[in-house]
Amino acid sequence: YGSAAVADAEGRLRAALGDPDRRYYLRSSSKPLQAILVITSGAADQFAFTTEELAITCASHHGTARHVEVVLGILDKLGLGPEALQCGTHAVSDAEERERLAREGLGPSPLHNNCSGKHAGMLAACQALGLPIDDYIKPTHPLQKAHLANVALFCSLPEAEVVIGVDGCGVPTFGVPLRAAATAYARLASGVGLPEEAAAATRRVREAVWQAPHMISAPGAFNSELLATCRGRLIAKGGAEGLFCAGETASAEGLAMKTEDG
């Protein structure tokens, strides 16, 4: 049981199953949209983000040793330590890293959190914009208001129609109709329907996830392998509870699908 919507970059519904107007939280499917601000704020250039570093700001990574190293590299550039990340901790997904921590009598750190790259990107944007970092996760913070504006732009919705919730990592998440999520990915995949600055940022996000797809989840994981296989043609990102979004560059169409049981 679930729903799916295909929409173009102008918001026109092309195909649907179930209810394309039902509203769902984007959860981690919003991460590539939130990464837009890493670029438009000037942070990616100011801190000389590598391809892997930009890609991991879009990621729900598995906490491998390499993922941890890349996030730590961002924080080093910002002059911050892992304690600056307000994403919290959870069990490490990667078996090899999980076993290493157990052998050494260590627990997971915020670096292992699957959202740590997104949070590191938020901290970078705060520094580039001269914003405080102590409360960067609050919905009232200027950074989060800027994320809301970007999500509304990509979804072709007024900001007032985007419902704000709290994601598992503490930052705001955005509730939108499924067809609007499909529109967002049509725009993310093509830049069509966006102001030039935002369209240029989508190109950089696409190139980063295509060049470093295993930063997005992990080698062998569906999302990473899909990006690697469809490099240059498709951008995609899953979200919690059975949400998955994708956009095709050539057609400038997006797909959003949700299974009801998560």
Side-chain angles (χ1 to χ4, degrees), residues 69-91:
E69 182 180 14
V70 172
V71 175
L72 193 56
I74 296 174
L75 294 176
D76 285 345
K77 291 178 177 181
L78 304 180
L80 300 173
E83 68 280 357
L85 298 170
Q86 296 184 33
C87 53
T89 61
H90 58 64

Side-chain angles (χ1 to χ4, degrees), residues 115-188:
C115 297
S116 64
K118 174 181 75 175
H119 280 250
M122 290 181 178
L123 289 168
C126 281
Q127 288 203 2
L129 295 169
L131 299 174
I133 64 171
D134 292 345
D135 58 349
Y136 75 91
I137 67 173
K138 291 185 178 180
T140 53
H141 192 283
L143 180 83
Q144 302 303 339
K145 291 183 177 180
H147 284 310
L148 170 60
N150 275 347
V151 169
L153 171 66
F154 275 76
C155 289
S156 192
L157 291 173
E159 289 184 30
E161 292 185 17
V162 180
V163 176
I164 303 298
V166 180
D167 213 339
C169 64
V171 297
T173 185
F174 311 98
V176 300
L178 203 60
R179 64 193 296 164
T183 298
Y185 268 74
R187 292 183 169 190
L188 180 65

